[in-house]
């Protein structure tokens, strides 16, 4: 009986998040009220508040859903076959693609992610930590295989993130939209040049 109740609770929780995401996509998270989410589900606002203490918690849950999809794809890339360099390139490209898709197709949801970054929501900090950890895992595997210089994989991951931030930060994506260069591949090439050992230079005799 208890298990059934918990399962039903999870279902309703999911339905609220999905309904909120639909409304956020249409009118934006700031204009969407709890009453409108409740109406969408044909339930009372009081029932919504049984699962979420405040509207801000619903905002965070929808945001976490979007970020969770990016993380799942990143983990898949990290554990795939291929060189560390190729996996790193695929990872950065995947994140850029996800944010670009939101920016181009779902501006209202893009605004939600932008708010989470600007206002430093806890879920965004945790997401950034997880994504940096996934990148660190790829770089560490490249170092272990001799593909990259031995060194501090955690620091290298933070440096790559910082170098590529304009391709996945909502506000920077807007600011640099008209800039033709550097493109993402150029930035990743630049980062890889710092990670990959170069053969020793030899003077011509």
């Amino acid at each position: 009986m208890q298990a059934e109740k918990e399962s039903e609770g999870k279902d309703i929780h999911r339905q609220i998040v999905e309904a909120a995401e639909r409304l956020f996509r249409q009118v934006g998270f700031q204009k969407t009220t709890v009453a409108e989410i409740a109406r969408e589900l044909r339930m009372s606002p009081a029932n919504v508040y049984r699962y979420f203490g405040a509207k801000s918690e619903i905002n965070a849950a929808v945001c976490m859903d979007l970020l969770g999809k990016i993380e799942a794809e990143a983990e898949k890339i990290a554990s795939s076959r291929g060189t560390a360099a190729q996996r790193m390139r695929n990872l950065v490209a995947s994140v850029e693609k996800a944010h670009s898709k939101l920016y181009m197709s779902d501006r209202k949801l893009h605004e939600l992610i932008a708010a989470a970054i600007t206002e430093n929501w806890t879920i965004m900090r945790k997401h950034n930590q997880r994504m940096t950890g996934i990148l660190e895992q790829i770089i560490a595997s490249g170092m272990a295989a001799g593909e990259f210089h031995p060194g501090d994989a955690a620091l290298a991951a933070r440096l790559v993130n910082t170098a590529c931030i304009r391709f996945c930060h909502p506000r920077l994506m807007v600011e640099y939209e008209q800039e033709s260069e550097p493109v993402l591949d150029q930035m990743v090439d630049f980062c890889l040049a710092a990670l990959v050992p170069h053969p020793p230079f030899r003077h011509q005799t």
Side-chain angles (χ1 to χ4, degrees):
M1 190 70 177
Q2 182 65 24
E4 279 180 25
K5 265 190 168 180
E6 283 179 12
S7 176
E8 186 186 347
K10 282 179 184 171
D11 283 347
I12 295 172
H13 187 282
R14 165 105 317 256
Q15 285 168 25
I16 292 168
V17 173
E18 287 174 354
E21 188 175 322
R22 283 196 300 275
L23 290 168
F24 289 3
R25 186 175 267 118
Q26 290 163 20
V27 299
F29 76 100
Q30 287 165 323
K31 290 183 180 176
T32 301
T33 64
V34 171
E36 286 165 338
I37 295 168
R39 197 179 308 126
E40 178 87 358
L41 293 166
R42 294 179 182 166
M43 63 170 65
S44 68
N47 201 30
V48 173
Y49 281 119
R50 281 178 58 202
Y51 296 91
F52 293 93
K55 166 73 183 335
S56 59
E57 289 182 17
I58 300 176
N59 295 345
V62 173
C63 191
M64 197 156 55
D65 222 38
L66 297 169
L67 298 175
K69 288 170 187 166
I70 294 173
E71 287 172 21
E73 182 61 25
E75 282 167 357
K76 202 163 90 180
I77 290 166
S79 58
S80 65
R81 292 175 178 272
T83 63
Q86 191 56 56
R87 282 179 288 140
M88 187 176 110
R89 190 180 294 281
N90 291 346
L91 175 65
V92 178
S94 160
V95 175
E96 190 268 345
K97 184 180 175 185
H99 284 284
S100 287
K101 187 179 174 191
L102 278 175
Y103 177 55
M104 300 303 291
S105 312
D106 281 314
R107 279 296 166 93
K108 301 293 185 187
L109 292 180
H110 189 261
E111 286 168 11
L112 176 68
I113 302 283
I117 293 173
T118 305
E119 296 165 20
N120 200 22
W121 295 2
T122 303
I123 55 157
M124 183 53 76
R125 287 201 302 275
K126 288 182 177 173
H127 167 72
N128 288 337
Q129 286 165 6
R130 282 192 288 266
M131 292 299 291
T132 304
I134 294 168
L135 182 55
E136 181 186 337
Q137 178 189 328
I138 293 173
I139 293 172
S141 73
M143 288 176 174
E147 187 184 338
F148 295 158
H149 286 293
D152 185 338
L155 175 60
R158 290 199 299 275
L159 290 168
V160 172
N161 268 345
T162 303
C164 297
I165 194 168
R166 63 160 279 197
F167 298 101
C168 53
H169 188 298
R171 194 173 71 245
L172 294 177
M173 285 175 72
V174 176
E175 285 179 16
Y176 288 95
E177 189 179 13
Q178 304 305 320
E179 297 286 336
S180 58
E181 287 188 319
V183 296
L184 184 63
D185 269 341
Q186 289 171 326
M187 189 56 79
V188 176
D189 286 343
F190 180 78
C191 293
L192 286 170
L195 288 167
V196 176
H198 297 283
F201 178 75
R202 294 189 178 175
H203 288 284
Q204 296 291 329
T205 54

